[in-house]
Amino acid sequence: MIRFTLSCDNDHAFEGWFSSGADYDRQADLGLVTCPVCGSSSVGKQLMVPSVATGRKKEETRMMMMDEVHKQAVAKIREIVTTIRENSEDVGEKFPEEARKIHYGEAEQRGLIGKATLQEARELIDEGIEIAALPTLPDDVN
């Protein structure tokens, strides 16, 4: 995992964790990296000082990540994701097809969740169909 210090066009600073620099680039290109304060998708990486992770440093980092503020933020995100899931129809692999039907007026407007490949997500975005990825949160962060 790699941590980037990010900021949006409204000067809100925040951190993001990604599996690689390419993973960040891919998500940013799809508009999936957004500011947690204002929702802006105009986000960029800030200069960072490299850090060498020792066993002690890793433990300190883990503890810092899970301080009370972070726990509360994760709880809020979990609550939002739960609400979205409870109020949406899960169409599974048919998500791209169903999202297009709604977008083009061929099906009634409703909340959808489901699965799409990275390519399918790009195509939906290119067509002007608004989508967002729902995070999968670890169960042990309560």
Side-chain angles (χ1 to χ4, degrees):
M1 295 294 284
I2 185 168
R3 179 186 66 185
F4 290 121
T5 300
L6 307 170
S7 67
C8 72
D9 56 346
N10 293 312
D11 293 325
H12 298 125
F14 55 98
E15 291 180 352
W17 291 79
F18 301 89
S19 60
S20 66
D23 182 39
Y24 165 81
D25 293 337
R26 208 172 23 258
Q27 290 186 41
D29 288 346
L30 286 171
L32 300 176
V33 181
T34 59
C35 175
V37 177
C38 67
S40 172
S41 62
S42 182
V43 173
K45 293 187 271 188
Q46 300 301 305
L47 290 176
M48 293 180 55
V49 177
S51 99
V52 176
T54 63
R56 182 183 215 178
K57 176 83 171 178
K58 286 180 185 176
E59 180 61 19
E60 289 172 11
T61 301
R62 188 184 72 74
M63 294 303 292
M64 181 179 68
M65 286 175 46
M66 294 315 302
D67 68 10
E68 193 57 36
V69 173
H70 287 99
K71 286 181 183 178
Q72 290 174 4
V74 169
K76 275 291 194 198
I77 293 169
R78 187 180 310 281
E79 181 182 326
I80 291 166
V81 168
T82 298
T83 300
I84 291 170
R85 289 186 185 283
E86 288 173 352
N87 293 289
S88 300
E89 179 183 346
D90 188 346
V91 294
E93 304 289 331
K94 294 182 180 181
F95 179 79
E97 175 186 339
E98 291 297 318
R100 281 188 179 95
K101 285 180 183 177
I102 291 171
H103 181 74
Y104 294 111
E106 299 168 5
E108 74 178 57
Q109 188 76 25
R110 66 194 191 281
L112 292 181
I113 57 174
K115 296 181 180 180
T117 66
L118 184 57
Q119 182 62 36
E120 289 169 331
R122 282 186 180 142
E123 290 169 358
L124 291 170
I125 291 168
D126 287 345
E127 289 178 47
I129 301 172
E130 293 185 20
I131 62 170
L134 287 179
T136 302
L137 300 169
D139 291 334
D140 63 344
V141 186
N142 294 325

